[in-house]
Amino acid sequence: MIQAQQRWLIFVFISAVLISSGSPSVAATGPGRAAVASAHPLATQAALEVLGKGGNAFDAAVAASAALAVVEPASSGLGGGGFWLLHIAAGGRDIMVDGRERAPLAATRNMYLGSDGKAEARLSLDGPLAAAIPGEPAALVHIAERYGRLPLTESLRPAIRYARQGFAVDAHYHRLVQLRRSVLERYRATAAIFLQAGAVPKAGWVLRQPDLAATLEAIAEAGRAGFYEGEIARRLVRAVRAAGGIWSLEDLRQYRVVEREPTRLRYRGLNVVTTALPSAGGLQLAIMLNILAGYDLGSLDKAHRIHLVVEAMRRSYRARAHYLGDPDFVAVPRRRLASVAYAAALRQGIELNHATRSAALGELGDPPGKGADTTHFSIIDAAGNRVAATLSINYPFGSGFVAAGTGVVLNDEMDDFATQPGEPNVYGLVGGEANAIAPGKRPLSSMSPAFVETPQRIGLLGTPGGSRIVSMVLLGILEFADGQPPTVWVSRARYHHQYLPDAIQYEPAAFGARLRERLAGMGHRFAPLTQDYGNMQAILWERRGNRLRAVSDPRGNGSARVTSWPATVRPGD
Ligand code: DON
């Protein structure tokens, strides 16, 4: 059994395999009426198809989510969850649909600790014991019924077609199967779907998922009950329990999405609308942007600017580790953490020319002031409705477990809990009491879809990337604030600091030797990455001239399209 402290190494390795495909950046620009940027061309096509049939951005989001479940089975799906950030143009309302997974009712705080009292990472990563109760099916039904115009039979049609007719897998699929081969081989139903006669399929192999098509059809016909009750539910529970998991029919029956008020932030004339807990993103972005608002970043040289951004990251990940968890279970001092006063107090500890040692920050005590593989898409429609959604089953292929006869890959989101408070999870994140396991509780997440707004410019962005999601979204917002175009938000070389480990992680192109020397001179430590990370899908709408730009991260295989109906889409393509 591997131990918790080895997980960090796994993540460093995995992030190398996870991302980079080396394809060119895909950008689409023009005067348009709708735009879609997603991590897979077939998902973008599904969204466009549904828009072409008169659907709105919400129907398109349902279509894209379901298509991603089929064509990126390692990244998100019906066995997982996510956060869908919606902007409803009529009335100007923003809503976060929380379709995050919940711990099973039989979950216990110490369920992943071995007899030596130490967390056994494999238990919370591989197999059905690692799976929390999925939220994506409920979220899709909720979004379609409450905000969509089309029936689920229409919005799920492209995904059902991809699942039944199959699609050619790419090199990325090949790499991820290779990575998770040992766990995929362990479960017969999984291996039968994702391996080619027991071998890792090569790019070009056609993956067909008839069981998944049937599960999607059950949802299209019966809505929520098609997944959470009846035959699919019974198959899920039977298979999970037979393989050592703890799900019950009651777990599925009880699952509900929660609509939450998004987190709203102001930063130098920008309005940022982003996730609420149980995503750590909103509060972490609040802390970082509030800290950075106290500096004139534009007047600083690059090294000092990066230094201050890193110090802001360090402090927000530290606060996350201590305070953040499911707000339905723990009291989180949200207002105080998001306050200008808290940021001002944190700023006082930042030296302009010296890195703070994370260990020197010591323990966090009372709340302040008393004195958080995965995928993302962004969609905007002709009416101005928007969706930015980040969806996950956590690790590539989640838990690796498919309940026979469902085609659904179950998540391993239980690893996002602090399985042993104080010990790092697979992304190297430490957590405490606030994110300890409890029955029915949602694990803290990093997924942070966001809207960034000025009177003239509206940005939609988000990305996968584990713990680095929040810092990537921060860097994207800072580029937006600098007036940079979305090609820059998605492509600029990235850096990251998460409090622990106390080192700046950075893409090879992020720092040249001189810049690194200057940062080292300030006392920064480094954990250079050998590969790039992230897969941001972004849209910029400039009201003047009604210009839309949609961009996919050059690190991934995504596709971005801007369209003025009905010119470019042939529904059914
Ligand atoms: O919710 C979270 O924070 C994680 N389950 C996200 C995992 C992820 O982004 C993996 N991607 N590269």
Side-chain angles (χ1 to χ4, degrees):
M1 289 291 173
I2 62 168
Q3 300 296 332
Q5 54 268 44
Q6 291 175 261
R7 296 175 179 197
W8 167 246
L9 290 174
I10 303 174
F11 177 49
V12 170
F13 171 69
I14 282 213
S15 47
V17 187
L18 259 183
I19 328 281
S20 60
S21 69
S23 72
S25 173
V26 189
T29 183
R33 300 193 52 201
V36 180
S38 91
H40 197 287
L42 289 173
T44 297
Q45 183 60 31
L48 293 171
E49 181 178 323
V50 162
L51 286 165
K53 288 189 173 159
N56 60 17
F58 311 119
D59 299 301
V62 171
S65 305
L68 287 164
V70 176
V71 299
E72 280 195 331
S75 297
S76 71
L78 300 182
F83 300 119
W84 289 255
L85 190 63
L86 315 184
H87 174 79
I88 297 124
R93 246 172 1 122
D94 299 301
I95 281 162
M96 174 176 124
V97 175
D98 169 359
R100 180 71 165 166
E101 301 89 332
R102 275 176 40 140
L105 295 166
T108 58
R109 182 190 169 87
N110 295 332
M111 62 188 282
Y112 299 114
L113 302 189
S115 46
D116 57 358
K118 290 201 184 323
E120 293 187 1
R122 285 292 167 214
L123 293 180
S124 59
L125 287 172
D126 302 339
L129 190 63
I133 307 304
E136 180 161 326
L140 300 190
V141 173
H142 180 86
I143 293 167
E145 289 178 350
R146 187 163 296 190
Y147 303 106
R149 278 197 207 130
L150 300 180
L152 279 164
T153 44
E154 281 301 333
S155 47
L156 297 182
R157 193 188 298 276
I160 292 168
R161 195 174 63 236
Y162 299 152
R164 185 153 285 126
Q165 294 177 0
F167 67 99
V169 302
D170 54 18
H172 186 60
Y173 177 90
H174 172 85
R175 275 196 299 273
L176 293 180
V177 173
Q178 186 78 53
L179 176 75
R180 294 289 270 155
R181 184 179 185 157
S182 63
V183 68
L184 300 181
E185 279 171 347
R186 193 181 305 164
Y187 302 108
R188 228 174 1 163
T190 313
I193 299 169
F194 298 112
L195 301 178
Q196 183 181 11
V200 178
K202 295 230 171 10
W205 176 70
V206 174
L207 170 58
R208 292 189 178 84
Q209 301 170 80
D211 287 342
L212 183 56
T215 298
L216 284 162
E217 280 168 341
I219 296 169
E221 294 300 327
R224 209 189 154 276
F227 186 89
Y228 293 93
E229 292 167 32
E231 187 51 29
I232 303 276
R234 281 191 292 276
R235 283 186 189 162
L236 286 165
V237 169
R238 207 182 306 131
V240 161
R241 297 188 77 91
I246 55 173
W247 289 16
S248 66
L249 286 170
E250 182 61 17
D251 274 312
L252 292 169
R253 211 185 52 75
Q254 276 190 18
Y255 186 86
R256 292 287 181 277
V257 299
V258 183
E259 284 205 348
R260 299 186 194 272
E261 198 53 43
T263 302
R264 284 170 202 287
L265 315 167
R266 290 279 302 166
Y267 173 72
R268 292 189 170 264
L270 304 182
N271 286 315
V272 178
V273 180
T274 187
T275 47
L277 291 169
S279 163
L283 282 169
Q284 282 196 255
L285 287 164
I287 293 168
M288 293 186 287
L289 291 169
N290 282 340
I291 290 176
L292 294 173
Y295 302 103
D296 183 6
L297 290 182
S299 71
L300 297 173
D301 62 78
K302 203 169 172 186
H304 279 94
R305 183 180 161 129
I306 291 171
H307 163 67
L308 292 175
V309 173
V310 165
E311 293 303 325
M313 290 175 180
R314 181 197 310 279
R315 284 160 176 83
S316 85
Y317 278 93
R318 174 174 178 251
R320 167 196 180 127
H322 190 79
Y323 296 115
L324 304 193
D326 182 344
D328 300 338
F329 283 73
V330 289
V332 177
R334 283 176 269 199
R335 255 203 204 126
R336 274 174 277 147
L337 288 169
S339 71
V340 170
Y342 180 54
L346 293 177
R347 209 184 297 117
Q348 280 184 359
I350 297 178
E351 289 181 61
L352 209 49
N353 293 307
H354 293 289
T356 308
R357 288 274 68 81
S358 289
L361 285 169
E363 294 287 308
L364 275 170
D366 282 344
K370 221 182 218 170
D373 211 29
T374 297
T375 195
H376 178 88
F377 64 82
S378 296
I379 299 177
I380 187 166
D381 68 16
N385 296 311
R386 301 176 231 144
V387 181
T390 313
L391 318 176
S392 185
I393 51 175
N394 200 26
Y395 233 43
F397 287 99
S399 67
F401 185 79
V402 172
T406 67
V408 176
V409 184
L410 303 189
N411 69 84
D412 55 358
E413 223 75 70
M414 291 295 285
D415 193 67
D416 280 347
F417 279 116
T419 55
Q420 185 180 19
E423 285 299 319
N425 80 348
V426 75
Y427 304 111
L429 288 168
V430 290
E433 218 38 61
N435 192 31
I437 303 173
K441 190 175 174 183
R442 284 156 148 94
L444 190 63
S445 173
S446 298
M447 296 185 289
S448 313
F451 301 142
V452 195
E453 308 171 350
T454 67
Q456 282 308 324
R457 303 167 82 223
I458 308 281
L460 291 73
L461 66 148
T463 180
S467 57
R468 300 184 195 127
I469 293 173
V470 186
S471 64
M472 284 187 266
V473 171
L474 172 73
L475 296 178
I477 293 171
L478 294 176
E479 297 292 357
F480 181 105
D482 279 351
Q484 295 292 341
T487 37
V488 173
W489 319 343
V490 307
S491 58
R492 180 89 82 198
R494 295 172 173 139
Y495 57 92
H496 170 79
H497 194 293
Q498 61 180 48
Y499 171 56
L500 296 173
D502 186 355
I504 303 177
Q505 300 163 42
Y506 62 95
E507 293 183 326
F511 300 155
R514 260 199 58 158
L515 187 53
R516 194 181 139 138
E517 241 172 60
R518 295 201 56 202
L519 289 163
M522 295 178 193
H524 287 286
R525 295 170 181 165
F526 302 93
L529 303 167
T530 54
Q531 297 271 351
D532 294 343
Y533 62 90
N535 194 6
M536 189 170 275
Q537 311 295 326
I539 292 174
L540 173 65
W541 176 33
E542 288 167 298
R543 289 189 203 263
R544 192 174 302 132
N546 189 28
R547 283 190 76 74
L548 281 170
R549 277 189 265 187
V551 194
S552 282
D553 197 311
R555 298 162 186 82
N557 296 324
S559 109
R561 299 265 301 268
V562 170
T563 187
S564 45
W565 297 113
T568 53
V569 176
R570 298 191 307 260
D573 270 4

